[in-house]
Amino acid sequence: QLQLVESGGGLVQPGGSLRLSCAASGSIFGIYPMGWYRQTPGKQREWVARITGAGSTNYADAVKGRCTNTRTNDGNTVYLQLNSRKPEDTAVYYCVLTIAADYWGQGTQVTVSS
């Protein structure tokens, strides 16, 4: 059974940085695409970033230029570094692993506030 666990959320001041982690465990044979989404109350989940099995990355316009998505060599842990945080970055951040189907973590809360 696949399991994803996010960590690294918390309170950060505007302009600050935060790095989120997502560790995948279970029967994973290979390196698969992983991504990040975020959601605020009353809104749909919003795509943030994606990293392919080969390490290529894509970012939503809302975070492009402020965001770096990386992964460990074994491919099972991904990191999302988001700099120059804005209040509108406040959300619950989720990671997702795609192996035939999507597997989601439980999410980690990020609050950007002074």
Side-chain angles (χ1 to χ4, degrees), residues 15-18 38 59-68 80-89 93 112:
S17 299
L18 204 64
R38 64 187 183 186
Y59 302 98
D61 288 343
V63 301
K64 197 172 292 183
R66 303 188 290 126
C67 188
T68 305
L80 185 74
Q81 174 85 25
L82 186 55
N83 302 320
S84 302
R85 289 268 181 175
K86 305 175 183 180
E88 51 263 42
D89 293 324
Y93 285 72
V112 183

Side-chain angles (χ1 to χ4, degrees), residues 38-62:
R38 64 187 183 186
Q39 189 170 24
T40 54
K43 293 187 177 181
Q44 286 191 329
R45 198 167 288 188
E46 172 192 31
W47 173 70
V48 176
R50 181 175 182 265
I51 185 166
T52 68
S56 298
T57 53
N58 297 96
Y59 302 98
D61 288 343

Side-chain angles (χ1 to χ4, degrees), residues 4 19-25 28-36 49-59 68-81 95-99:
L4 277 70
R19 190 176 82 155
L20 306 180
S21 302
C22 174
S25 61
I28 304 172
F29 304 102
I31 301 178
Y32 297 93
M34 294 183 74
W36 291 91
R50 181 175 182 265
I51 185 166
T52 68
S56 298
T57 53
N58 297 96
Y59 302 98
T68 305
N69 193 16
T70 57
R71 69 192 311 165
T72 52
N73 289 336
D74 65 5
N76 290 342
T77 300
V78 292
Y79 303 98
L80 185 74
Q81 174 85 25
C95 67
V96 59
L97 167 67
T98 301
I99 305 177

